Amino acid sequence: MQPLTSRARAVERKPMTMWERMYLPAIAKGMSITFSHMFKKKPTVNYPEKTRPFSPVFRGLHVLNRDEQGRERCTACGLCAVACPAEAITMEGAERLPGEENLYREEKYAAKYEINMLRCIFCGLCEEACPKDAIYLSETFAPANYTRKGFIYGKEELLIPNPVTEPEEFAKAQGGRVKQ
């Protein structure tokens, strides 16, 4: 093994010119960059007063849909839960009893429907898998919460308002969504 001094090469250091020692070109270049940024459009949005526009393909909170008579569309087929890659949807089906025709469209309905928003990746596969157009992703954010239990939305939180008894809330909940 050879000593380090015999292998090392000398580094040449050129002396700085007078112009480089004054640092004026570097300062002028830095100030020009700073001033150019001062006049550009700011990316920040003053949130409560203004809201930024979202993409038309934005996926927000899930909503369980109703038909025109106010009946739930979900038939508890389970295709949304099977299609979910994050396994965020759980449901239990039940049979409709006599006299509940005004509540549910089909003979079978979802007695329990839960979405764990901590697991959800907002991919939209549940929306695509549903044959009855019962679930869709709305244009609203998931609100902040301090507990894990607050991020598990049940059927009561997900169900859209009844169009027969609450037409204003129903129209507001549907937003810009096109009826099918």
Side-chain angles (χ1 to χ4, degrees), residues 18-161:
M18 177 72 167
W19 192 250
E20 290 173 337
R21 278 187 268 147
M22 290 189 336
Y23 294 106
L24 288 178
I27 291 171
K29 184 178 178 184
M31 293 304 284
S32 68
I33 291 172
T34 301
F35 285 125
S36 69
H37 282 282
M38 287 176 66
F39 300 109
K40 287 185 179 176
K41 184 180 176 193
K42 293 178 177 64
T44 314
V45 176
N46 297 332
Y47 172 66
E49 294 84 25
K50 295 180 184 177
T51 57
R52 71 179 186 93
F54 290 107
S55 168
V57 293
F58 174 76
R59 298 184 189 123
L61 280 177
H62 297 74
V63 174
L64 283 176
N65 208 358
R66 294 182 187 258
D67 65 2
E68 296 77 27
Q69 287 87 31
R71 300 176 298 185
E72 296 177 15
R73 288 182 180 243
C74 183
T75 58
C77 63
L79 290 176
C80 58
V82 171
C84 182
E87 297 178 1
I89 301 173
T90 56
M91 69 169 51
E92 292 176 9
E95 294 287 327
R96 180 177 70 186
L97 300 174
E100 291 184 334
E101 290 83 15
N102 60 338
L103 297 175
Y104 312 108
R105 282 178 80 174
E106 307 289 334
E107 304 245 343
K108 192 176 170 191
Y109 70 96
K112 176 186 170 191
Y113 195 98
E114 289 183 347
I115 298 179
N116 187 344
M117 293 310 232
L118 295 173
R119 284 184 151 193
C120 181
I121 58 174
F122 298 95
C123 63
L125 291 176
C126 56
E127 184 178 17
E128 292 177 19
C130 184
K132 302 289 184 177
D133 193 33
I135 188 166
Y136 67 91
L137 280 76
S138 66
E139 296 177 355
T140 58
F141 280 106
N145 209 321
Y146 293 107
T147 62
R148 294 182 68 82
K149 196 170 189 172
F151 286 106
I152 300 174
Y153 293 115
K155 187 176 172 181
E156 299 78 28
E157 293 96 10
L158 296 171
L159 201 57
I160 199 167

Side-chain angles (χ1 to χ4, degrees), residues 66-71 156 159-174 179:
R66 294 182 187 258
D67 65 2
E68 296 77 27
Q69 287 87 31
R71 300 176 298 185
E156 299 78 28
L159 201 57
I160 199 167
N162 194 331
V164 177
T165 59
E166 305 166 279
E168 296 87 20
E169 288 84 9
F170 176 75
K172 183 180 172 185
Q174 284 219 317
K179 291 183 184 179

